[in-house]
Amino acid sequence: MSRSNSVPATPFEATITDLSHDGRGVARVDGKALFVSGALLGEQVMVRLRKRHRHFDEAEVVEVITPSSHRVEPRCRHFAECSGCSLQHLDAEAQIAAKQRVLAENFERIGKVAPQQWLPPLTGEPWAYRRKGRLSVRHVLKKGRVLVGFREEANPRFVADIQQCEVLHPAIGPKVGLLAELINGLDAVDAIAQIEFAGGDDTMALVFRHLQPLGEGDLAALTAFGQQHGLAIYLQPGNNSSVHPLWPAQPRLAFRIASDDARFADVELEFEPLDFVQVNANMNQRMVAHAMALLDPQPTDRVLDLFCGLGNFTLPIARRVAEVVGVEGEHGLVQRAAQNAVRNGIDNATFHVANLFEDQRASDWARTPWDKVLLDPPRAGADQLLAYLPHRKTRRVVYVSCHPASLARDAGILVNQHGFTLASAGVMDMFPHTAHVESIALFER
C-alpha cells in the first residue's frame, strides 16, 4: 500500500515474517520494516500505525486474522498495556526457541562463529520469579490517584495502571495496587519517585526513593505497611549511599546457592538492597550449577572470575579449586564479596576492585597465567579485556552473557585472535515472558 508522511487511522493488513529482538512482530510494507506490538511470527494481522520513522514504522495489532499455533492467552490482564513483559502471548517453548535463534543469528552475523554443540536451553518456573527490580511511581492528578508499576508499552512516558504483576515475587507481585494506595495516602504523595524491590531467601525489601523529607505520619504509615505485609522498608533520600533501613532496624538480605555436589558445602551471600543480584533466584541456582559443569574446576586449578559482583560464581568455585580471584569495578560489591567469603569460611578467594573497561594489564591478577577464566560482564561485554586476556596458558573460558550481540563479538575475538574453540553455547531463560536473552558459552583451547 502507498502511504504519506501522516499516520493513517485506518487499520491495514500485514504478514508477520520475523520476531524482533524486543519481541515485536516484523512485517514489511512498501519495502519498509514495520514493528508490530502483539504480533507473532507467521501471523496475518490487522494493524494500526503508531509512529513513523525514517527507516521503520511502529504499529499495534488490532485483530489477529490468522493466529500462530504458538499463541496463548496472556495470564496478566495488564499485558497489552504494561511494558514489563513482551511475550506472554507466546508459549514458553516457543519463547526459548526464539531466544536461541537470536543467539545463533548473532554468532553467525557478528562473530562469524558457531558452537560445536548447542546446549539444551536452561529453563525454570516462568511465573512469580522476579525478586529484583524497580517500580515507577506517578501521582496522576487527572485520575486523582497514584499509579505504581512499569512503564506503558505504547508510551514509556506514562506509568501503566496495574494492580498486580504475575512475574514478580509473590511477596510483592500481588501488592502493586496496595503500594499505590499506600503512597496515595501519604502527605508526601508527590515526593515518592520510585520503589526498588530486592528479595533474599527470607526477606523482601522495598526502597522508597523520596525527593523531600518525610514527616512522622508518613514514616509511621510506611513502617505499618512493612509490618503488616512482612516487608523490610528502606528509605533513599539521595544517591545510592543514602539508602538506610526504616523498619526493621537491621534487616538481613541473603540468598543461598546450593551445591549440586555433596562434597562441597553450600554458600550464602549477604547483600544490600541496591546491589546487583540475578533477578531470578531459581534460575541463578541452576545457572551456577551449569557454569560449574562447564568450567569443570579441579582441586589444583587457579581460576579468575571477572565481573564477579558479590561472588555469585567466585565462592562456589572456591569450594572446588586451589585458588580463585574475583575482580569487580564496584567497591561496595567487592567489599561484600570478601565479607561473604569470610562468612562462609572460605580462605582461598581474593577480591580486587578494578574498572574492567580500562586497561588493567599492569595488575598482578592480569599477568597471572590462570588455568581457567569465568566472565559475566554487563551488556557492553568484555572486548577491552580480551585485548590482553586470557593468558596463553589458560585452557578454558566460560562466558555468561546478558546480551547476545556482545557475546557474539567477543566469541569472534576468543576464536580468531586467541585460538579458542567455541565448544558449546546455549540460552538460559532468566527473564521469562520478555525478549531478554541470557546465555552461556564454553571456549576451549
Side-chain angles (χ1 to χ4, degrees):
M1 61 174 285
S2 177
R3 294 176 292 171
S4 65
N5 288 329
S6 61
V7 177
T10 304
F12 58 92
E13 192 170 326
T15 301
I16 306 302
T17 58
D18 201 357
L19 201 64
S20 71
H21 71 279
D22 60 2
R24 292 183 291 177
V26 182
R28 297 200 74 84
V29 178
D30 292 346
K32 190 177 185 182
L34 179 69
F35 293 93
V36 184
S37 297
L40 297 175
L41 176 64
E43 292 188 331
Q44 197 75 14
V45 292
M46 294 295 293
V47 305
R48 180 185 294 114
L49 276 183
R50 283 180 178 170
K51 292 181 182 178
R52 284 192 184 281
H53 302 275
R54 182 173 181 181
H55 299 293
F56 66 93
D57 293 331
E58 297 179 82
E60 62 186 349
V61 168
V62 176
E63 178 189 355
V64 178
I65 301 170
T66 306
S68 165
S69 61
H70 298 291
R71 178 175 282 274
V72 294
E73 188 67 24
R75 176 182 291 195
C76 178
R77 69 177 188 267
H78 305 299
F79 170 67
E81 177 186 1
C82 175
S83 65
C85 298
S86 58
L87 293 175
Q88 279 194 28
H89 58 320
L90 183 64
D91 71 54
E93 187 175 338
Q95 285 186 33
I96 199 69
K99 294 177 183 185
Q100 185 136 320
R101 187 168 60 250
V102 168
L103 180 60
E105 290 171 351
N106 276 271
F107 275 141
E108 180 180 0
R109 178 173 54 86
I110 299 173
K112 306 293 191 283
V113 295
Q116 293 180 334
Q117 175 191 3
W118 280 105
L119 300 168
L122 202 63
T123 59
E125 170 55 48
W127 302 105
Y129 67 83
R130 185 157 192 164
R131 65 173 172 179
K132 187 84 166 69
R134 176 183 297 168
L135 296 169
S136 298
V137 177
R138 183 70 57 86
H139 184 206
V140 183
L141 294 177
K142 289 184 178 180
K143 296 192 176 194
R145 58 191 175 89
V146 169
L147 303 183
V148 173
F150 298 106
R151 297 290 177 172
E152 285 189 0
E153 194 277 328
N155 193 335
R157 294 179 302 167
F158 300 126
V159 176
D161 188 358
I162 68 175
Q163 295 300 306
Q164 64 184 56
C165 178
E166 300 289 348
V167 299
L168 298 191
H169 188 282
I172 186 68
K175 301 182 177 70
V176 177
L178 296 179
L179 282 169
E181 292 178 11
L182 167 69
I183 298 171
N184 200 58
L186 299 180
D187 292 334
V189 62
D190 292 314
I192 307 297
Q194 66 189 34
I195 305 169
E196 299 221 20
F197 59 93
D201 289 345
D202 302 315
T203 304
M204 174 62 70
L206 301 180
V207 181
F208 290 82
R209 174 80 171 95
H210 55 99
L211 305 178
Q212 66 187 49
L214 301 181
E216 291 300 320
D218 287 353
L219 296 175
L222 293 172
T223 299
F225 187 86
Q227 292 171 338
Q228 179 182 355
H229 297 285
L231 300 165
I233 305 298
Y234 288 75
L235 301 178
Q236 184 186 358
N239 59 24
N240 288 2
S241 65
S242 72
V243 174
H244 62 280
L246 173 64
W247 185 89
Q250 294 181 314
R252 181 176 184 266
L253 295 174
F255 62 92
R256 182 170 293 273
I257 300 175
S259 173
D260 62 343
D261 188 324
R263 295 174 298 167
F264 308 111
D266 299 348
V267 298
E268 186 183 58
L269 279 68
E270 289 192 1
F271 66 100
E272 295 297 321
L274 297 191
D275 286 346
F276 173 80
V277 298
Q278 294 289 350
V279 303
N280 190 325
N282 175 264
M283 281 298 296
N284 186 56
Q285 295 273 352
R286 303 189 66 192
M287 178 178 69
V288 171
H290 200 36
M292 293 301 105
L294 295 176
L295 192 66
D296 189 29
Q298 299 298 314
T300 58
D301 281 343
R302 303 173 73 225
V303 179
L304 179 64
D305 180 12
L306 298 168
F307 305 95
C308 69
L310 291 162
N312 191 55
F313 293 105
T314 327
L315 300 187
I317 291 171
R319 297 283 198 208
R320 305 168 187 234
V321 301
E323 179 189 6
V324 60
V325 164
V327 186
E328 165 63 43
E330 187 177 332
H331 184 274
L333 290 177
V334 171
Q335 182 181 45
R336 282 182 281 285
Q339 292 168 347
N340 282 325
V342 172
R343 193 174 294 112
N344 284 276
I346 291 172
D347 60 7
N348 63 333
T350 307
F351 296 90
H352 299 276
V353 180
N355 184 345
L356 295 176
F357 296 103
E358 296 178 353
D359 193 332
Q360 299 291 339
R361 71 187 77 203
S363 303
D364 288 343
W365 56 264
R367 296 198 302 266
T368 301
W370 302 99
D371 298 308
K372 296 170 183 176
V373 172
L374 187 141
L375 293 160
D376 185 12
R379 288 177 59 87
D383 56 332
Q384 290 98 326
L385 271 172
L386 297 181
Y388 54 93
L389 288 173
H391 193 276
R392 63 183 180 276
K393 291 185 179 180
T394 299
R395 306 188 307 275
R396 182 171 292 212
V397 173
V398 171
Y399 193 130
V400 178
S401 170
C402 62
H403 192 248
S406 58
L407 170 59
R409 178 202 63 207
D410 294 348
I413 296 172
L414 283 165
V415 170
N416 298 317
Q417 298 182 25
H418 289 284
F420 282 87
T421 296
L422 176 53
S424 58
V427 292
M428 304 179 290
D429 205 11
M430 188 67 72
F431 295 83
H433 309 300
T434 77
H436 180 94
V437 180
E438 192 92 6
S439 54
I440 192 166
L442 169 64
F443 298 86
E444 293 180 320
R445 294 281 189 190

